[in-house]
């Protein structure tokens, strides 16, 4: 176990390090030209991060052990996928998924 005085020295240092790493990419992207293919690929990063964050919650639910344990989450994910496929709108997908999850949790 780490004592609190060491903890409060390490946390700001790690925070500053994380900030500097992120800042370096922002500053480098202004100075280094990227090919058009790289720019096209970078456009899809936000769209791929959202499912990567949501999928574990859908698959493992609150327990974190049994795949597809929560039928409300699974149903809401399927509805959100359908809305995403039909509308190709991120906000509509998130809104439909949230509404479906709340509705299914109330009903089930």
């Amino acid at each position: 176990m780490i004592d609190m005085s060491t903890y409060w020295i390490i946390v700001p240092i790690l925070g500053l390090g994380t900030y500097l790493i992120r800042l370096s990419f922002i500053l480098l992207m202004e100075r280094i030209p990227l090919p058009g293919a790289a720019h096209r690929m970078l456009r899809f990063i936000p769209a791929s991060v959202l499912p990567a964050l949501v999928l574990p919650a859908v698959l493992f639910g609150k327990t974190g052990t049994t795949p597809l344990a929560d039928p409300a989450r699974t149903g809401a994910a399927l509805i959100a996928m359908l809305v995403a496929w039909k509308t190709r709108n991120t906000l509509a997908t998130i809104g439909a998924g949230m509404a479906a999850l709340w509705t299914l949790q109330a009903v089930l």
Side-chain angles (χ1 to χ4, degrees):
M1 190 76 187
I2 191 169
D3 65 300
M4 291 308 285
S5 61
T6 307
Y7 175 81
W8 286 111
I9 292 171
I10 292 174
V11 167
I13 292 171
L14 291 175
L16 180 64
T18 301
Y19 177 77
L20 291 175
I21 289 171
R22 292 176 187 197
L23 182 65
S24 69
F25 282 104
I26 292 170
L27 294 177
L28 286 176
M29 293 303 286
E30 292 178 354
R31 292 189 176 93
I32 298 175
L34 291 175
H39 278 287
R40 286 190 302 274
M41 286 188 293
L42 289 173
R43 280 190 8 213
F44 293 107
I45 288 176
S48 64
V49 167
L50 183 62
L53 293 172
V54 171
L55 187 65
V58 171
L59 287 179
F60 299 111
K62 293 180 182 177
T63 62
T65 56
T66 309
L68 300 175
D70 190 357
R73 289 176 190 256
T74 305
L78 292 174
I79 291 169
M81 286 172 35
L82 180 67
V83 170
W85 178 55
K86 288 292 187 181
T87 66
R88 299 196 183 273
N89 184 331
T90 305
L91 290 177
T93 302
I94 292 170
M98 287 173 56
L101 178 62
W102 292 334
T103 303
L104 290 172
Q105 284 178 336
V107 171
L108 298 177

